[in-house]
Amino acid sequence: MLNTAYDLFSRRGLRDVGVNELIESSGVAKSTFYRHFPSKDDLVLAVLARRDQIWFAEVVAEAQSRSATPEEELLIIFDVFADWLGDGGYESNVFIKILMEMGPDHPLGKACVGYMARVRGHAQTLAEEAGLERSVDFARAWHLLLKGTVVTAMEGDPQAAELAQSMARSLIERHRHPTVVSLPRLPPQS
């Protein structure tokens, strides 16, 4: 049920997908569906949580594995994102889709805002680890580039992530403290 909903909401948004279609497409009985998800909103919240989990488990983990420093990770994440966008991954950004459909005051919109804040918070942490100045402002601008990448890719620009990465490089330069050198990432402690 969750995988079916994730796929349908990612491709088509919320309003275009009804509960009956979700039940039919997932191949479960109506009673089973409602036992797990008393309302469509409950299912949507589970999908959003799944999307957050995928972002950190796949995109962030891949960027971390391909980078030696927090500063590099801030740039490489756009390469990882480009791989997703090349595969039509822009369809998978349910946070943006649901926020646009429901608005920031709806409980589902608020959930999207919260999950996107986690992404921005990760960028802020990386900026701090890289010794960048004004890490909050940096993270806001970096996140704007990331979200803009999704929208620009949806417009049909196959180089959206590449352009955003170039802009992120300039953003890093603007926020770099003149005496700070980005240090290699320390291995995790056991």
Side-chain angles (χ1 to χ4, degrees):
M1 291 181 294
L2 189 57
N3 290 337
T4 299
Y6 182 86
D7 180 55
L8 290 172
F9 294 153
S10 295
R11 286 187 291 115
R12 295 178 22 214
L14 291 185
R15 292 191 175 127
D16 192 41
V17 179
V19 172
N20 289 335
E21 180 181 2
L22 288 165
I23 290 169
E24 185 178 316
S25 296
S26 64
V28 299
K30 192 176 260 191
S31 60
T32 301
F33 180 88
Y34 282 111
R35 185 171 351 137
H36 291 283
F37 304 105
S39 72
K40 184 177 175 182
D41 283 3
D42 291 320
L43 176 60
V44 174
L45 289 171
V47 166
L48 294 174
R50 176 72 179 126
R51 179 67 174 97
D52 179 68
Q53 179 185 27
I54 289 170
W55 171 261
F56 283 96
E58 293 180 14
V59 175
V60 170
E62 178 67 17
Q64 287 173 342
S65 73
R66 291 166 53 178
S67 61
T69 66
E71 187 175 303
E72 281 183 1
E73 184 180 336
L74 287 163
L75 295 171
I76 287 176
I77 205 158
F78 288 98
D79 291 333
V80 176
F81 217 48
D83 295 342
W84 269 34
L85 297 172
D87 294 335
Y90 62 87
E91 293 178 348
S92 296
N93 201 308
V94 295
F95 296 143
I96 292 173
K97 283 188 176 191
I98 292 172
L99 178 59
M100 295 298 289
E101 279 188 71
M102 306 309 292
D105 295 328
H106 187 280
L108 297 176
K110 286 178 182 180
C112 292
V113 168
Y115 285 122
M116 287 192 285
R118 279 181 29 89
V119 173
R120 190 173 48 256
H122 180 69
Q124 181 180 342
T125 298
L126 291 174
E128 290 166 358
E129 290 173 0
L132 300 181
E133 294 182 329
R134 301 178 327 277
S135 62
V136 171
D137 292 338
F138 172 86
R140 288 178 61 221
W142 181 92
H143 196 223
L144 184 65
L145 290 172
L146 191 68
K147 291 181 285 190
T149 301
V150 173
V151 174
T152 304
M154 289 178 75
E155 291 175 339
D157 184 344
Q159 279 102 25
E162 185 179 322
L163 177 58
Q165 183 183 57
S166 174
M167 294 169 74
R169 196 171 275 112
S170 296
L171 185 65
I172 287 170
E173 289 300 320
R174 262 189 41 219
H175 286 266
R176 185 176 284 131
H177 190 279
T179 61
V180 174
V181 175
S182 188
L183 300 173
R185 179 176 286 129
L186 297 175
Q189 292 183 342
S190 309

